[in-house]
Amino acid sequence: MALASAPAARAGVRAGSNSSSGRAVVVSRAATMQRSIGVENYVTEVPLTLTRPDLDTPDTMRFRFEKMIREAQNSICAAIEEIDGTKFRQDAWTRKEGGGGITRVIQDGNVWEKAGVNVSVVYGSMPPEAYRAASGNPELMQRIKDAGGSSRVPFFAAGISSVMHPKNPHAPTMHFNYRYFETEEWNGIPGQWWFGGGTDITPNWIVEEDMKHFHGSYKKVCDRHDPAFYPKFKKWCDEYFMISHRGETRGLGGIFFDDLNDRDPSTILAFSTDCVNSVVDAYCPLVTRHKDDAYTEEEKHWQQVRRGRYVEFNLVYDRGTTFGLKTGGRIESILMSMPLTSRWEYDLQPAPGSKEADFIDACKVPRNWV
């Protein structure tokens, strides 16, 4: 089967290809989804800002948050490229109503099987069910449900998200996401704003030294802003990344917070900035330490099984994935988090006393690492 390259296929469909299959794809999507955001206009030169210059002045949180995540994307990608020896591929786009995105991906690199760092700035309107998916606040979710109606909710969302899947099974997978969200008044519910985010680690076995470094790094970050943050956000992370149908967490945690609006927004922005700027120091030493470790076929096999658990969580439970799918976002960016390879086996049970069994125990009963 001949496959067109992604840019060529993208250009062909959006340019109105004469191919009947191309028309079918476009018609099918239009018939099944009312997009909450505009169509992507792919660009080679990314604007200095994806916010709306006439409305989002440098003193607004929209502008300040976008500036922060754009800078973080550049610095984190530079660090990953230095380790991998491979350059990120970049896809960038804008939308006529404002906003856009920048997706950067390394696929089949020297160190990472797949590594992606996305920035997205979105203006649009969403259905009430997407509003509920965007928030983890039970009180707000109930108010949205009680408000009823089918009118769409005007919103703004900006965020940076990343997942990195190394080739070597002894090097851990890492995920982070930091976001800012606003809505306008809707059906009697006042306009809302909140921050969310977190960084978490998913190894395939327990290496105490690695976990102490990773969790210790984020405890230091949290303590610089509020000593109550780390225990609260560590527990929240363990609860959020629970794969309920398995009764185990996706990995070995980190920090996670959502709907954070209990203090001045500039204070929360400073915390979010510190968190995302600590990704490289918390994660990259672990990859550098293990990227050349020897491994067996059985260990690679176990990595693929754990990657399957990663896929299960992201497709079934992850609110960011759900929100992206419900609002008609760019599918390649939404599913960037998927590993290239994974595996499902029927009723696979680690041998008692094995390092795999110890890892599963830590996923079923989360441990404290610092």
Side-chain angles (χ1 to χ4, degrees), residues 113 167 204 299-309 340-344:
E113 178 184 281
K167 289 184 170 181
N204 299 304
E299 288 173 329
K300 187 68 177 177
H301 183 113
W302 176 250
Q303 178 198 51
Q304 301 304 294
V305 171
R306 294 310 307 173
R307 291 260 172 92
R309 299 293 197 268
L340 278 184
T341 57
S342 53
R343 186 181 184 96
W344 283 264

Side-chain angles (χ1 to χ4, degrees), residues 260-274:
L260 194 60
N261 59 5
D262 64 345
R263 58 199 74 194
D264 183 83
S266 293
T267 300
I268 306 176
L269 175 64
F271 173 60
S272 298
T273 302
D274 201 0

Side-chain angles (χ1 to χ4, degrees), residues 294-323:
Y295 59 87
T296 66
E297 183 177 344
E298 289 77 14
E299 288 173 329
K300 187 68 177 177
H301 183 113
W302 176 250
Q303 178 198 51
Q304 301 304 294
V305 171
R306 294 310 307 173
R307 291 260 172 92
R309 299 293 197 268
Y310 209 94
V311 171
E312 288 179 28
F313 177 85
N314 283 25
L315 293 182
V316 177
Y317 300 108
D318 185 67
R319 288 210 305 272
T321 302
T322 301
F323 177 78

Side-chain angles (χ1 to χ4, degrees), residues 128 132 142-151 153 186-187 189:
R132 291 195 298 272
Q142 187 61 48
R143 290 179 68 186
I144 297 166
K145 183 177 180 180
D146 293 343
S150 58
S151 61
V153 186
W186 174 80
N187 278 14
I189 299 176

Side-chain angles (χ1 to χ4, degrees), residues 119-163:
V119 158
S120 179
V121 176
V122 180
Y123 300 83
S125 64
M126 58 185 169
E129 61 267 23
Y131 194 2
R132 291 195 298 272
S135 174
N137 183 332
E139 180 182 348
L140 178 58
M141 293 167 69
Q142 187 61 48
R143 290 179 68 186
I144 297 166
K145 183 177 180 180
D146 293 343
S150 58
S151 61
R152 301 175 70 81
V153 186
F155 76 94
F156 165 87
I160 182 170
S161 61
S162 174
V163 176

